[in-house]
Each structure stands twice: as structure tokens, then as C-alpha cells.
Amino acid sequence: MTSLLDLPTELLIQIFDAAVATHPCPGHILVLNKLIYRIASPLPYRHLHFSSLFSIACFPSTSWGLDTVHKPSTITIELAGGEVGKGVFRQLSRLLGRARFPRDAVRSNRLELDSLRLCLHSTSDSEKDDRNLFALDLVNPQSFKWTGPDPAHHFSIAIVATAVNVLFKRFQSWTRLQDLHLSNISFPKDIEGLFPPLPTLRSLYLGQATLVPVVPLARALIDPQMGALTTVRLVDCYVESIWGPRLRRRDLERAVTRLCTGNTPLANLERDDARSAPALHRVGAIVRCEARTERIIGGDRAERTGDLE
């Protein structure tokens, strides 16, 4: 008589993956027998999800019966607004520094991840948390997403200006970064170091952003080192505050023309100028500026939701 364990290992992994994800106590599955433990024990660690600082603090340094802890593929941290300023990045640094991941999962002292997702508020108070975001120097993700915990229709700032410069410095050390999603972000007035060359980046999403630095962004779009970048979505982005003008694609095109032609007055330039035509074509091909959330009154009210030329 054929039993469950006679199935191919690849199929068993899928079965146990679904079982571990839905069982109220996944550990009960792991102790059925040695074969199931060998196959299923890495599964609870594949997609780590933390919804409180307490859950981060409780993460073990090793798996039961092993000298290491199984390698995660994704890490998600979702904290309510009330958790702001309680030291989430310090806790994450302790987790990543204390956990003994397999050697093949850690290269150059960085844990390689498929995805790192943060849904939380940063802080500008160094006494409450690590303003240098050192925890992000301990990972090397392919996909990174940071959004705020507030509802999508509520325009709020989760990534404060003092964290942005440090954040972009961390990006430069991520050699595998392909997809970058930042939302609820306020850019600093000091634009030095923003939008550095990221050769592996394929897609960029900026949403609910204020004080967007148009020139550094335009420079990054046409940088030869950013040739892998094929998709840029700018949703509800503002050049100034939310009471000021929205960022439109023509703003980037003007900045690109300036960068390509030096100080030549824009009035004296044609769109097909040989110096700027290739760059303008690239911007037109990969950039979409969108309006998704409309104000009830005031501000730069888009004629309709959708693309902003």
C-alpha cells in the first residue's frame, strides 16, 4: 500500500509547505517522524513574518537539534504605528547578528534574501533607534520594499528625511538588488548621495513621496551604469510638499535636457536635439508618473487618476 511518504520529495515539500503555513501549531508536523522532520524543518523559516518587536526578540539563534538556523528566503516586518521609536532596527541587528545562518547563505557577512519588506515608521531620534540603519548592512536582498503602516488613501510619511541619505548608502552595498519599492517617503534637502548607480536594478517604484529631487533622479535614469533599469513608476510624487506641484514626466525630461546640454536655455532647444534625444527616448520608454490619491480640496489636483505627462 502506497503511503504519503512514497511520494517524490519535490511533491512532499509542496504538501508540507502548505501544511506548515496553515497548521495552528506547525511544530506538531515536524515531530511525526525523522523523514518528515528532515524535509519540513526548513519550511517554517523560509518566509519569516514579524508583527511585533517581541516576535523579533524571540527569534532563535539556532534551530532545534542543529548548530545553525535554517536560511530564510524572505523577511517581512509589519509594525503598527504605535511601535515607532521602540528600536526596531536595533532589534533586527541583534537578530541578524545573533542567528547562526549556514555559511552558504551568508556572503561577505550579509544574509542573501529574495525579498526584504518593511512596513513601519522610521525615526529621527537616535536615542530611540539606530538612525544609521546598520541592520540593512547585514542583508543583501534581491527585492526591497519599505512602506508605511497607514491605509493607502492616507498620505503619511514613514521614511523620514534623516533616514533617506543613510538608506541610499545601504543600497550601494547591495550587489543583488533588482526591485526597489519605497513609499511614504520624504526626501531631504541635502541631495548628495541620492540615487547612486545601482547596476543590477530592474524596477523602481516611488509612491507618496515629497520633496522628490528631480535632477538626481533624472541623472540616475540616464546613467549608463543603470542600463538594467526598465521600469520606473512614480505614483503620487510631489516636487515640494503635498500642497505643491506633482512630479510629471515632463519635469524629468526638462532635467534630462539640462543635463545633456549644459546651460543652454531650454527655449533654444528642440526635443530632437542630438545631444538629448537618446536620453529623452529612454525616459519616455521606462518612466510612468501616476496620480492615484486625489485631495478633496487644494493642491495640484490631477485632471484624472492615471498617467501624468
PDB file of all heavy atoms in Angstrom, residues 53 56 77 79 85-96 116 118 120-123 128-138 144 146 158-159 163 167:
ATOM      1  N   LEU A  53       7.789  43.771  17.925  1.00  0.00           N
ATOM      2  CA  LEU A  53       9.180  43.729  18.370  1.00  0.00           C
ATOM      3  C   LEU A  53       9.440  42.500  19.228  1.00  0.00           C
ATOM      4  O   LEU A  53      10.539  41.948  19.217  1.00  0.00           O
ATOM      5  CB  LEU A  53       9.506  45.007  19.151  1.00  0.00           C
ATOM      6  CG  LEU A  53       9.579  46.294  18.327  1.00  0.00           C
ATOM      7  CD1 LEU A  53       9.806  47.488  19.244  1.00  0.00           C
ATOM      8  CD2 LEU A  53      10.689  46.226  17.300  1.00  0.00           C
ATOM      9  N   ILE A  56      10.393  39.561  17.093  1.00  0.00           N
ATOM     10  CA  ILE A  56      11.785  39.656  16.620  1.00  0.00           C
ATOM     11  C   ILE A  56      12.747  39.221  17.718  1.00  0.00           C
ATOM     12  O   ILE A  56      13.704  38.475  17.483  1.00  0.00           O
ATOM     13  CB  ILE A  56      12.102  41.092  16.167  1.00  0.00           C
ATOM     14  CG1 ILE A  56      11.212  41.497  14.989  1.00  0.00           C
ATOM     15  CG2 ILE A  56      13.575  41.224  15.780  1.00  0.00           C
ATOM     16  CD1 ILE A  56      11.402  42.932  14.541  1.00  0.00           C
ATOM     17  N   ILE A  77       8.615  42.568   7.988  1.00  0.00           N
ATOM     18  CA  ILE A  77       8.384  43.172   9.302  1.00  0.00           C
ATOM     19  C   ILE A  77       7.262  44.188   9.154  1.00  0.00           C
ATOM     20  O   ILE A  77       7.413  45.181   8.440  1.00  0.00           O
ATOM     21  CB  ILE A  77       9.653  43.850   9.850  1.00  0.00           C
ATOM     22  CG1 ILE A  77      10.799  42.836   9.942  1.00  0.00           C
ATOM     23  CG2 ILE A  77       9.380  44.471  11.211  1.00  0.00           C
ATOM     24  CD1 ILE A  77      12.106  43.439  10.400  1.00  0.00           C
ATOM     25  N   LEU A  79       4.881  46.524  11.448  1.00  0.00           N
ATOM     26  CA  LEU A  79       4.652  47.055  12.788  1.00  0.00           C
ATOM     27  C   LEU A  79       3.633  48.182  12.732  1.00  0.00           C
ATOM     28  O   LEU A  79       3.692  49.039  11.847  1.00  0.00           O
ATOM     29  CB  LEU A  79       5.957  47.582  13.390  1.00  0.00           C
ATOM     30  CG  LEU A  79       7.113  46.580  13.520  1.00  0.00           C
ATOM     31  CD1 LEU A  79       8.313  47.259  14.163  1.00  0.00           C
ATOM     32  CD2 LEU A  79       6.691  45.360  14.328  1.00  0.00           C
ATOM     33  N   GLY A  85       9.767  54.192  17.190  1.00  0.00           N
ATOM     34  CA  GLY A  85      10.667  54.685  18.226  1.00  0.00           C
ATOM     35  C   GLY A  85      10.974  53.685  19.318  1.00  0.00           C
ATOM     36  O   GLY A  85      11.535  54.047  20.357  1.00  0.00           O
ATOM     37  N   LYS A  86      10.659  52.400  19.097  1.00  0.00           N
ATOM     38  CA  LYS A  86      10.928  51.385  20.117  1.00  0.00           C
ATOM     39  C   LYS A  86      12.126  50.509  19.776  1.00  0.00           C
ATOM     40  O   LYS A  86      12.347  49.486  20.402  1.00  0.00           O
ATOM     41  CB  LYS A  86       9.687  50.518  20.339  1.00  0.00           C
ATOM     42  CG  LYS A  86       8.511  51.289  20.944  1.00  0.00           C
ATOM     43  CD  LYS A  86       7.353  50.372  21.283  1.00  0.00           C
ATOM     44  CE  LYS A  86       6.204  51.150  21.920  1.00  0.00           C
ATOM     45  NZ  LYS A  86       5.061  50.272  22.263  1.00  0.00           N
ATOM     46  N   GLY A  87      12.879  50.913  18.748  1.00  0.00           N
ATOM     47  CA  GLY A  87      14.145  50.239  18.466  1.00  0.00           C
ATOM     48  C   GLY A  87      14.068  49.056  17.527  1.00  0.00           C
ATOM     49  O   GLY A  87      14.782  48.071  17.710  1.00  0.00           O
ATOM     50  N   VAL A  88      13.243  49.156  16.491  1.00  0.00           N
ATOM     51  CA  VAL A  88      13.091  48.014  15.587  1.00  0.00           C
ATOM     52  C   VAL A  88      14.390  47.688  14.860  1.00  0.00           C
ATOM     53  O   VAL A  88      14.735  46.506  14.696  1.00  0.00           O
ATOM     54  CB  VAL A  88      11.952  48.276  14.578  1.00  0.00           C
ATOM     55  CG1 VAL A  88      12.197  49.541  13.769  1.00  0.00           C
ATOM     56  CG2 VAL A  88      11.793  47.087  13.634  1.00  0.00           C
ATOM     57  N   PHE A  89      15.152  48.691  14.437  1.00  0.00           N
ATOM     58  CA  PHE A  89      16.380  48.391  13.698  1.00  0.00           C
ATOM     59  C   PHE A  89      17.470  47.850  14.617  1.00  0.00           C
ATOM     60  O   PHE A  89      18.309  47.056  14.187  1.00  0.00           O
ATOM     61  CB  PHE A  89      16.855  49.641  12.942  1.00  0.00           C
ATOM     62  CG  PHE A  89      16.041  49.924  11.713  1.00  0.00           C
ATOM     63  CD1 PHE A  89      15.055  50.905  11.734  1.00  0.00           C
ATOM     64  CD2 PHE A  89      16.230  49.204  10.553  1.00  0.00           C
ATOM     65  CE1 PHE A  89      14.280  51.155  10.609  1.00  0.00           C
ATOM     66  CE2 PHE A  89      15.468  49.448   9.422  1.00  0.00           C
ATOM     67  CZ  PHE A  89      14.484  50.425   9.449  1.00  0.00           C
ATOM     68  N   ARG A  90      17.448  48.254  15.863  1.00  0.00           N
ATOM     69  CA  ARG A  90      18.380  47.652  16.819  1.00  0.00           C
ATOM     70  C   ARG A  90      18.027  46.195  17.062  1.00  0.00           C
ATOM     71  O   ARG A  90      18.917  45.332  17.138  1.00  0.00           O
ATOM     72  CB  ARG A  90      18.350  48.440  18.132  1.00  0.00           C
ATOM     73  CG  ARG A  90      19.037  49.799  18.041  1.00  0.00           C
ATOM     74  CD  ARG A  90      18.866  50.602  19.306  1.00  0.00           C
ATOM     75  NE  ARG A  90      19.484  51.925  19.175  1.00  0.00           N
ATOM     76  CZ  ARG A  90      19.194  52.954  19.941  1.00  0.00           C
ATOM     77  NH1 ARG A  90      18.276  52.840  20.899  1.00  0.00           N
ATOM     78  NH2 ARG A  90      19.804  54.121  19.755  1.00  0.00           N
ATOM     79  N   GLN A  91      16.731  45.898  17.167  1.00  0.00           N
ATOM     80  CA  GLN A  91      16.312  44.517  17.357  1.00  0.00           C
ATOM     81  C   GLN A  91      16.650  43.671  16.132  1.00  0.00           C
ATOM     82  O   GLN A  91      17.092  42.522  16.243  1.00  0.00           O
ATOM     83  CB  GLN A  91      14.797  44.474  17.613  1.00  0.00           C
ATOM     84  CG  GLN A  91      14.378  44.965  18.983  1.00  0.00           C
ATOM     85  CD  GLN A  91      14.626  43.924  20.076  1.00  0.00           C
ATOM     86  OE1 GLN A  91      15.370  42.972  19.880  1.00  0.00           O
ATOM     87  NE2 GLN A  91      14.017  44.125  21.226  1.00  0.00           N
ATOM     88  N   LEU A  92      16.455  44.240  14.940  1.00  0.00           N
ATOM     89  CA  LEU A  92      16.759  43.497  13.721  1.00  0.00           C
ATOM     90  C   LEU A  92      18.259  43.241  13.604  1.00  0.00           C
ATOM     91  O   LEU A  92      18.686  42.164  13.148  1.00  0.00           O
ATOM     92  CB  LEU A  92      16.249  44.268  12.502  1.00  0.00           C
ATOM     93  CG  LEU A  92      16.400  43.583  11.143  1.00  0.00           C
ATOM     94  CD1 LEU A  92      15.686  42.238  11.133  1.00  0.00           C
ATOM     95  CD2 LEU A  92      15.865  44.477  10.023  1.00  0.00           C
ATOM     96  N   SER A  93      19.075  44.191  14.031  1.00  0.00           N
ATOM     97  CA  SER A  93      20.528  43.990  14.029  1.00  0.00           C
ATOM     98  C   SER A  93      20.915  42.847  14.948  1.00  0.00           C
ATOM     99  O   SER A  93      21.769  42.015  14.610  1.00  0.00           O
ATOM    100  CB  SER A  93      21.243  45.273  14.466  1.00  0.00           C
ATOM    101  OG  SER A  93      21.086  46.301  13.528  1.00  0.00           O
ATOM    102  N   ARG A  94      20.282  42.789  16.123  1.00  0.00           N
ATOM    103  CA  ARG A  94      20.568  41.701  17.064  1.00  0.00           C
ATOM    104  C   ARG A  94      20.162  40.359  16.471  1.00  0.00           C
ATOM    105  O   ARG A  94      20.880  39.368  16.602  1.00  0.00           O
ATOM    106  CB  ARG A  94      19.835  41.954  18.379  1.00  0.00           C
ATOM    107  CG  ARG A  94      20.319  43.173  19.145  1.00  0.00           C
ATOM    108  CD  ARG A  94      19.702  43.227  20.544  1.00  0.00           C
ATOM    109  NE  ARG A  94      20.031  44.475  21.223  1.00  0.00           N
ATOM    110  CZ  ARG A  94      19.202  45.498  21.349  1.00  0.00           C
ATOM    111  NH1 ARG A  94      17.970  45.412  20.852  1.00  0.00           N
ATOM    112  NH2 ARG A  94      19.560  46.598  21.981  1.00  0.00           N
ATOM    113  N   LEU A  95      19.002  40.323  15.803  1.00  0.00           N
ATOM    114  CA  LEU A  95      18.534  39.072  15.207  1.00  0.00           C
ATOM    115  C   LEU A  95      19.525  38.590  14.149  1.00  0.00           C
ATOM    116  O   LEU A  95      19.964  37.441  14.173  1.00  0.00           O
ATOM    117  CB  LEU A  95      17.151  39.284  14.588  1.00  0.00           C
ATOM    118  CG  LEU A  95      16.433  38.079  13.962  1.00  0.00           C
ATOM    119  CD1 LEU A  95      14.929  38.345  13.899  1.00  0.00           C
ATOM    120  CD2 LEU A  95      16.918  37.787  12.539  1.00  0.00           C
ATOM    121  N   LEU A  96      19.888  39.467  13.232  1.00  0.00           N
ATOM    122  CA  LEU A  96      20.765  39.070  12.132  1.00  0.00           C
ATOM    123  C   LEU A  96      22.186  38.797  12.601  1.00  0.00           C
ATOM    124  O   LEU A  96      22.893  37.977  12.021  1.00  0.00           O
ATOM    125  CB  LEU A  96      20.770  40.155  11.058  1.00  0.00           C
ATOM    126  CG  LEU A  96      19.430  40.386  10.356  1.00  0.00           C
ATOM    127  CD1 LEU A  96      19.498  41.635   9.489  1.00  0.00           C
ATOM    128  CD2 LEU A  96      19.039  39.181   9.523  1.00  0.00           C
ATOM    129  N   LEU A 116      13.143  41.513   1.130  1.00  0.00           N
ATOM    130  CA  LEU A 116      13.066  42.142   2.457  1.00  0.00           C
ATOM    131  C   LEU A 116      11.987  43.207   2.383  1.00  0.00           C
ATOM    132  O   LEU A 116      12.074  44.124   1.565  1.00  0.00           O
ATOM    133  CB  LEU A 116      14.401  42.760   2.855  1.00  0.00           C
ATOM    134  CG  LEU A 116      14.414  43.571   4.165  1.00  0.00           C
ATOM    135  CD1 LEU A 116      14.033  42.699   5.353  1.00  0.00           C
ATOM    136  CD2 LEU A 116      15.770  44.220   4.394  1.00  0.00           C
ATOM    137  N   LEU A 118       9.630  45.943   4.632  1.00  0.00           N
ATOM    138  CA  LEU A 118       9.393  46.676   5.871  1.00  0.00           C
ATOM    139  C   LEU A 118       8.105  47.475   5.736  1.00  0.00           C
ATOM    140  O   LEU A 118       7.888  48.158   4.734  1.00  0.00           O
ATOM    141  CB  LEU A 118      10.557  47.629   6.168  1.00  0.00           C
ATOM    142  CG  LEU A 118      11.962  47.034   6.209  1.00  0.00           C
ATOM    143  CD1 LEU A 118      12.987  48.138   6.494  1.00  0.00           C
ATOM    144  CD2 LEU A 118      12.067  45.927   7.233  1.00  0.00           C
ATOM    145  N   LEU A 120       6.666  49.977   8.306  1.00  0.00           N
ATOM    146  CA  LEU A 120       6.879  50.574   9.621  1.00  0.00           C
ATOM    147  C   LEU A 120       7.352  52.011   9.465  1.00  0.00           C
ATOM    148  O   LEU A 120       7.706  52.448   8.373  1.00  0.00           O
ATOM    149  CB  LEU A 120       7.911  49.757  10.418  1.00  0.00           C
ATOM    150  CG  LEU A 120       9.228  49.397   9.724  1.00  0.00           C
ATOM    151  CD1 LEU A 120      10.256  50.498   9.870  1.00  0.00           C
ATOM    152  CD2 LEU A 120       9.786  48.106  10.274  1.00  0.00           C
ATOM    153  N   HIS A 121       7.379  52.724  10.580  1.00  0.00           N
ATOM    154  CA  HIS A 121       7.866  54.100  10.604  1.00  0.00           C
ATOM    155  C   HIS A 121       9.328  54.125  11.025  1.00  0.00           C
ATOM    156  O   HIS A 121       9.745  53.373  11.911  1.00  0.00           O
ATOM    157  CB  HIS A 121       7.059  54.944  11.607  1.00  0.00           C
ATOM    158  CG  HIS A 121       5.673  55.273  11.135  1.00  0.00           C
ATOM    159  ND1 HIS A 121       5.430  56.168  10.126  1.00  0.00           N
ATOM    160  CD2 HIS A 121       4.461  54.819  11.544  1.00  0.00           C
ATOM    161  CE1 HIS A 121       4.125  56.266   9.935  1.00  0.00           C
ATOM    162  NE2 HIS A 121       3.515  55.457  10.764  1.00  0.00           N
ATOM    163  N   SER A 122      10.110  54.987  10.401  1.00  0.00           N
ATOM    164  CA  SER A 122      11.467  55.262  10.870  1.00  0.00           C
ATOM    165  C   SER A 122      11.403  56.390  11.892  1.00  0.00           C
ATOM    166  O   SER A 122      10.351  56.970  12.136  1.00  0.00           O
ATOM    167  CB  SER A 122      12.376  55.646   9.694  1.00  0.00           C
ATOM    168  OG  SER A 122      11.908  56.839   9.093  1.00  0.00           O
ATOM    169  N   THR A 123      12.543  56.698  12.476  1.00  0.00           N
ATOM    170  CA  THR A 123      12.589  57.780  13.456  1.00  0.00           C
ATOM    171  C   THR A 123      13.860  58.592  13.256  1.00  0.00           C
ATOM    172  O   THR A 123      14.868  58.064  12.778  1.00  0.00           O
ATOM    173  CB  THR A 123      12.547  57.236  14.899  1.00  0.00           C
ATOM    174  OG1 THR A 123      12.647  58.321  15.831  1.00  0.00           O
ATOM    175  CG2 THR A 123      13.697  56.279  15.153  1.00  0.00           C
ATOM    176  N   LYS A 128      16.110  56.612  20.389  1.00  0.00           N
ATOM    177  CA  LYS A 128      15.032  55.628  20.318  1.00  0.00           C
ATOM    178  C   LYS A 128      15.349  54.472  19.376  1.00  0.00           C
ATOM    179  O   LYS A 128      14.814  53.372  19.538  1.00  0.00           O
ATOM    180  CB  LYS A 128      13.736  56.318  19.866  1.00  0.00           C
ATOM    181  CG  LYS A 128      13.192  57.316  20.885  1.00  0.00           C
ATOM    182  CD  LYS A 128      11.891  57.933  20.398  1.00  0.00           C
ATOM    183  CE  LYS A 128      11.321  58.904  21.425  1.00  0.00           C
ATOM    184  NZ  LYS A 128      10.059  59.517  20.955  1.00  0.00           N
ATOM    185  N   ASP A 129      16.192  54.704  18.391  1.00  0.00           N
ATOM    186  CA  ASP A 129      16.514  53.648  17.437  1.00  0.00           C
ATOM    187  C   ASP A 129      17.814  53.984  16.718  1.00  0.00           C
ATOM    188  O   ASP A 129      18.353  55.086  16.857  1.00  0.00           O
ATOM    189  CB  ASP A 129      15.379  53.468  16.422  1.00  0.00           C
ATOM    190  CG  ASP A 129      15.372  52.081  15.798  1.00  0.00           C
ATOM    191  OD1 ASP A 129      16.293  51.297  16.079  1.00  0.00           O
ATOM    192  OD2 ASP A 129      14.431  51.776  15.033  1.00  0.00           O
ATOM    193  N   ASP A 130      18.308  53.020  15.935  1.00  0.00           N
ATOM    194  CA  ASP A 130      19.550  53.193  15.192  1.00  0.00           C
ATOM    195  C   ASP A 130      19.285  53.996  13.928  1.00  0.00           C
ATOM    196  O   ASP A 130      18.741  53.476  12.954  1.00  0.00           O
ATOM    197  CB  ASP A 130      20.122  51.820  14.839  1.00  0.00           C
ATOM    198  CG  ASP A 130      21.387  51.922  13.992  1.00  0.00           C
ATOM    199  OD1 ASP A 130      22.008  53.011  14.006  1.00  0.00           O
ATOM    200  OD2 ASP A 130      21.737  50.939  13.321  1.00  0.00           O
ATOM    201  N   ARG A 131      19.657  55.262  13.934  1.00  0.00           N
ATOM    202  CA  ARG A 131      19.452  56.121  12.768  1.00  0.00           C
ATOM    203  C   ARG A 131      20.321  55.709  11.589  1.00  0.00           C
ATOM    204  O   ARG A 131      20.042  56.062  10.446  1.00  0.00           O
ATOM    205  CB  ARG A 131      19.734  57.583  13.124  1.00  0.00           C
ATOM    206  CG  ARG A 131      18.691  58.235  14.001  1.00  0.00           C
ATOM    207  CD  ARG A 131      19.073  59.654  14.334  1.00  0.00           C
ATOM    208  NE  ARG A 131      19.381  60.444  13.137  1.00  0.00           N
ATOM    209  CZ  ARG A 131      19.868  61.676  13.175  1.00  0.00           C
ATOM    210  NH1 ARG A 131      20.125  62.260  14.344  1.00  0.00           N
ATOM    211  NH2 ARG A 131      20.100  62.339  12.064  1.00  0.00           N
ATOM    212  N   ASN A 132      21.389  54.948  11.846  1.00  0.00           N
ATOM    213  CA  ASN A 132      22.289  54.524  10.777  1.00  0.00           C
ATOM    214  C   ASN A 132      21.809  53.261  10.072  1.00  0.00           C
ATOM    215  O   ASN A 132      22.452  52.810   9.118  1.00  0.00           O
ATOM    216  CB  ASN A 132      23.693  54.294  11.330  1.00  0.00           C
ATOM    217  CG  ASN A 132      24.352  55.594  11.771  1.00  0.00           C
ATOM    218  OD1 ASN A 132      24.220  56.614  11.109  1.00  0.00           O
ATOM    219  ND2 ASN A 132      25.052  55.555  12.905  1.00  0.00           N
ATOM    220  N   LEU A 133      20.706  52.689  10.535  1.00  0.00           N
ATOM    221  CA  LEU A 133      20.104  51.526   9.878  1.00  0.00           C
ATOM    222  C   LEU A 133      21.133  50.428   9.629  1.00  0.00           C
ATOM    223  O   LEU A 133      21.182  49.817   8.560  1.00  0.00           O
ATOM    224  CB  LEU A 133      19.444  51.940   8.558  1.00  0.00           C
ATOM    225  CG  LEU A 133      18.474  53.132   8.609  1.00  0.00           C
ATOM    226  CD1 LEU A 133      17.908  53.411   7.225  1.00  0.00           C
ATOM    227  CD2 LEU A 133      17.346  52.891   9.607  1.00  0.00           C
ATOM    228  N   PHE A 134      21.952  50.150  10.634  1.00  0.00           N
ATOM    229  CA  PHE A 134      23.031  49.174  10.476  1.00  0.00           C
ATOM    230  C   PHE A 134      22.494  47.798  10.108  1.00  0.00           C
ATOM    231  O   PHE A 134      23.168  47.021   9.410  1.00  0.00           O
ATOM    232  CB  PHE A 134      23.857  49.075  11.762  1.00  0.00           C
ATOM    233  CG  PHE A 134      24.925  48.029  11.724  1.00  0.00           C
ATOM    234  CD1 PHE A 134      26.062  48.192  10.937  1.00  0.00           C
ATOM    235  CD2 PHE A 134      24.788  46.843  12.445  1.00  0.00           C
ATOM    236  CE1 PHE A 134      27.040  47.210  10.887  1.00  0.00           C
ATOM    237  CE2 PHE A 134      25.759  45.864  12.402  1.00  0.00           C
ATOM    238  CZ  PHE A 134      26.886  46.048  11.622  1.00  0.00           C
ATOM    239  N   ALA A 135      21.284  47.480  10.541  1.00  0.00           N
ATOM    240  CA  ALA A 135      20.716  46.164  10.228  1.00  0.00           C
ATOM    241  C   ALA A 135      20.663  45.916   8.726  1.00  0.00           C
ATOM    242  O   ALA A 135      20.821  44.780   8.264  1.00  0.00           O
ATOM    243  CB  ALA A 135      19.309  46.046  10.829  1.00  0.00           C
ATOM    244  N   LEU A 136      20.461  46.971   7.940  1.00  0.00           N
ATOM    245  CA  LEU A 136      20.370  46.806   6.497  1.00  0.00           C
ATOM    246  C   LEU A 136      21.726  46.501   5.866  1.00  0.00           C
ATOM    247  O   LEU A 136      21.785  46.115   4.698  1.00  0.00           O
ATOM    248  CB  LEU A 136      19.769  48.066   5.859  1.00  0.00           C
ATOM    249  CG  LEU A 136      18.361  48.440   6.333  1.00  0.00           C
ATOM    250  CD1 LEU A 136      17.850  49.655   5.577  1.00  0.00           C
ATOM    251  CD2 LEU A 136      17.401  47.265   6.179  1.00  0.00           C
ATOM    252  N   ASP A 137      22.791  46.679   6.619  1.00  0.00           N
ATOM    253  CA  ASP A 137      24.126  46.344   6.128  1.00  0.00           C
ATOM    254  C   ASP A 137      24.429  44.863   6.330  1.00  0.00           C
ATOM    255  O   ASP A 137      25.479  44.387   5.879  1.00  0.00           O
ATOM    256  CB  ASP A 137      25.172  47.181   6.862  1.00  0.00           C
ATOM    257  CG  ASP A 137      26.399  47.451   5.996  1.00  0.00           C
ATOM    258  OD1 ASP A 137      26.244  47.510   4.764  1.00  0.00           O
ATOM    259  OD2 ASP A 137      27.504  47.596   6.555  1.00  0.00           O
ATOM    260  N   LEU A 138      23.506  44.140   6.980  1.00  0.00           N
ATOM    261  CA  LEU A 138      23.709  42.722   7.258  1.00  0.00           C
ATOM    262  C   LEU A 138      22.926  41.830   6.303  1.00  0.00           C
ATOM    263  O   LEU A 138      22.929  40.615   6.454  1.00  0.00           O
ATOM    264  CB  LEU A 138      23.290  42.403   8.708  1.00  0.00           C
ATOM    265  CG  LEU A 138      24.037  43.181   9.793  1.00  0.00           C
ATOM    266  CD1 LEU A 138      23.466  42.840  11.173  1.00  0.00           C
ATOM    267  CD2 LEU A 138      25.532  42.875   9.747  1.00  0.00           C
ATOM    268  N   PHE A 144      13.545  44.851  -2.361  1.00  0.00           N
ATOM    269  CA  PHE A 144      13.389  45.597  -1.104  1.00  0.00           C
ATOM    270  C   PHE A 144      12.169  46.498  -1.210  1.00  0.00           C
ATOM    271  O   PHE A 144      12.025  47.247  -2.193  1.00  0.00           O
ATOM    272  CB  PHE A 144      14.631  46.435  -0.809  1.00  0.00           C
ATOM    273  CG  PHE A 144      14.508  47.258   0.448  1.00  0.00           C
ATOM    274  CD1 PHE A 144      14.502  46.660   1.697  1.00  0.00           C
ATOM    275  CD2 PHE A 144      14.397  48.651   0.382  1.00  0.00           C
ATOM    276  CE1 PHE A 144      14.393  47.414   2.862  1.00  0.00           C
ATOM    277  CE2 PHE A 144      14.283  49.417   1.538  1.00  0.00           C
ATOM    278  CZ  PHE A 144      14.288  48.799   2.779  1.00  0.00           C
ATOM    279  N   TRP A 146       9.763  49.158   1.251  1.00  0.00           N
ATOM    280  CA  TRP A 146       9.510  49.840   2.524  1.00  0.00           C
ATOM    281  C   TRP A 146       8.312  50.761   2.332  1.00  0.00           C
ATOM    282  O   TRP A 146       8.354  51.682   1.509  1.00  0.00           O
ATOM    283  CB  TRP A 146      10.737  50.632   2.967  1.00  0.00           C
ATOM    284  CG  TRP A 146      10.621  51.198   4.366  1.00  0.00           C
ATOM    285  CD1 TRP A 146       9.495  51.299   5.139  1.00  0.00           C
ATOM    286  CD2 TRP A 146      11.682  51.737   5.168  1.00  0.00           C
ATOM    287  NE1 TRP A 146       9.772  51.854   6.353  1.00  0.00           N
ATOM    288  CE2 TRP A 146      11.108  52.138   6.403  1.00  0.00           C
ATOM    289  CE3 TRP A 146      13.040  51.943   4.956  1.00  0.00           C
ATOM    290  CZ2 TRP A 146      11.864  52.723   7.414  1.00  0.00           C
ATOM    291  CZ3 TRP A 146      13.787  52.534   5.960  1.00  0.00           C
ATOM    292  CH2 TRP A 146      13.211  52.902   7.183  1.00  0.00           C
ATOM    293  N   ALA A 158       6.451  57.718   6.371  1.00  0.00           N
ATOM    294  CA  ALA A 158       7.017  56.654   7.195  1.00  0.00           C
ATOM    295  C   ALA A 158       8.547  56.683   7.175  1.00  0.00           C
ATOM    296  O   ALA A 158       9.191  56.377   8.172  1.00  0.00           O
ATOM    297  CB  ALA A 158       6.525  55.290   6.719  1.00  0.00           C
ATOM    298  N   ILE A 159       9.118  57.051   6.020  1.00  0.00           N
ATOM    299  CA  ILE A 159      10.576  57.137   5.888  1.00  0.00           C
ATOM    300  C   ILE A 159      10.954  58.604   5.980  1.00  0.00           C
ATOM    301  O   ILE A 159      10.778  59.368   5.023  1.00  0.00           O
ATOM    302  CB  ILE A 159      11.051  56.540   4.555  1.00  0.00           C
ATOM    303  CG1 ILE A 159      10.439  55.166   4.320  1.00  0.00           C
ATOM    304  CG2 ILE A 159      12.582  56.452   4.533  1.00  0.00           C
ATOM    305  CD1 ILE A 159      10.770  54.562   2.966  1.00  0.00           C
ATOM    306  N   ALA A 163      16.513  59.604   7.463  1.00  0.00           N
ATOM    307  CA  ALA A 163      16.825  58.200   7.185  1.00  0.00           C
ATOM    308  C   ALA A 163      17.140  57.955   5.719  1.00  0.00           C
ATOM    309  O   ALA A 163      17.748  56.937   5.369  1.00  0.00           O
ATOM    310  CB  ALA A 163      15.657  57.308   7.610  1.00  0.00           C
ATOM    311  N   LEU A 167      19.773  55.392   3.994  1.00  0.00           N
ATOM    312  CA  LEU A 167      19.149  54.290   3.258  1.00  0.00           C
ATOM    313  C   LEU A 167      19.797  54.100   1.897  1.00  0.00           C
ATOM    314  O   LEU A 167      20.135  52.973   1.499  1.00  0.00           O
ATOM    315  CB  LEU A 167      17.651  54.571   3.122  1.00  0.00           C
ATOM    316  CG  LEU A 167      16.782  53.486   2.506  1.00  0.00           C
ATOM    317  CD1 LEU A 167      16.831  52.211   3.335  1.00  0.00           C
ATOM    318  CD2 LEU A 167      15.341  53.980   2.370  1.00  0.00           C
TER     319      LEU A 167
END
